[in-house]
Structures are given as structure tokens and as C-alpha cells.
Amino acid sequence: MKLALPLALACTLFASAAHAEGDAGFAPAPQTGGGFGTTGQWVLSLGSMTDAPFFFHHGDGGWQLQLAPAADYFIINNVSVGGAVKFAHASGGGANADGVDTFGLEARAGYALAINGQFTFWPLVGLAVDHTSVNHTSSTSTSLPIFAPVLFHVVPHFFVGAGPSVVIGLSNGGNEVGLDCILGGWF
């Protein structure tokens, strides 16, 4: 699990180097025809947070729901900026367990590399602030999320994707490593 950050960084550096050398395996996202990554494009997506899936039901009666809707805008070809709003709720389950609520905001930037007509590598790096509340006690934390998904364009303007993710805790230490998914569309 500790290899995920170096692996994600190596994939990003490899993709950047291949792009710089004009490698046939990687190319910038299409510049014309409105392909993914064109200047002025909006991308709306929904992803899960690193530490758990969208919805999970525990055997003890507890459950978790985590959502992270996001919007990104391509300011120039291949370069996106955007953000996400995160919400998570975990019911405690059992008679004496407390629920946990987390709200967060994330600003991020990304770079789209077209692998071929149906696949795009879209690494994203951001800065996130999360506020967690448990039984009338709350805390705030900051982190550096890195997500490197490969997108599969199912049909024009709609994609699904998955890739490694790392969240580096800036204010409280604790790092998280996972494999996340993303679902979205662009116009």
C-alpha cells in the first residue's frame, strides 16, 4: 500500500515524458472536434472518497454514504481546474454508537492525456478542507488528494473511470491510499 504514491507519481511522470517525446501511445486530448479536454469544456462528475465506497451497509446495522460531486473546466487544451463538494455520513449502528458527518471542499487541477479514441488518462491533484462532526465534537483537517484515473468514454460525452488515489494529510498526518472510481460527462 505504501507504494501507491510512488506508483501514481511514476505513472504521471511516465505519461508526461511520453507526451513530451511524442510517443504514439499517448497524445494530448483532441484539439478539434470537441474531444475530451478541449478549451472551454465543462466536466461534471461523481466520485467516491478514498476511504470507502459510495454506500456500504455494515452487519451491525450501521451504514455509510459518501458522495463527492465535482465540476471541472478546461482553461486551455488538456488543462483543467475545478473543485468538489464532499459529504459523508456513517451511522454508528448498535444502540450506543454515534454517527459521523463529514463535509468538505476541494480545489483541484488536472491534465488530460488521450490514450486513444476511447481512453483518457486524467491525473488530478488538489487541496481539500474537511470538517468532521461526531457527537457534538468537531474537527477540521486539510489534505492533498491525488487521483490518477483512466477514463473509458462509453459513448460521446459520457465516461466511467478508475485509478489509484492517495490523500496526504497535511494538518493531522494520516495518509490514505485506495483505488477510486469516477462517473461523469462533459459538454
Side-chain angles (χ1 to χ4, degrees):
M1 289 296 223
K2 293 182 181 182
L3 295 176
L5 178 59
L7 180 61
L9 292 174
C11 288
T12 303
L13 292 174
F14 170 74
S16 298
H19 171 68
E21 294 175 13
D23 185 284
F26 287 95
Q31 306 291 317
T32 59
F36 185 82
T38 304
T39 302
Q41 242 174 37
W42 282 96
V43 179
L44 301 177
S45 61
L46 181 65
S48 62
M49 298 162 84
T50 302
D51 57 348
F54 290 118
F55 180 79
F56 182 74
H57 187 270
H58 299 277
D60 64 357
W63 56 274
Q64 291 177 272
L65 173 67
Q66 297 197 32
L67 301 171
D72 295 276
Y73 180 76
F74 281 91
I75 56 173
I76 60 173
N77 285 333
N78 309 321
V79 178
S80 65
V81 294
V85 177
K86 300 183 283 183
F87 169 75
H89 175 79
S91 74
N96 298 321
D98 296 320
V100 178
D101 291 308
T102 301
F103 296 95
L105 295 174
E106 176 185 326
R108 65 189 189 181
Y111 190 84
L113 289 169
I115 297 171
N116 63 29
Q118 288 200 279
F119 290 93
T120 303
F121 178 57
W122 189 31
L124 299 158
V125 176
L127 180 62
V129 176
D130 294 322
H131 181 78
T132 302
S133 175
V134 182
N135 195 24
H136 306 293
T137 303
S138 63
S139 64
T140 302
S141 62
T142 56
S143 61
L144 178 71
I146 302 168
F147 181 33
V150 172
L151 308 179
F152 172 63
H153 301 277
V154 180
V155 294
H157 301 278
F158 178 75
F159 61 83
V160 296
S165 65
V166 177
V167 177
I168 301 168
L170 299 176
S171 61
N172 63 356
N175 300 330
E176 298 174 4
V177 177
L179 179 66
D180 282 345
C181 58
I182 186 171
L183 172 69
W186 48 274
F187 57 94

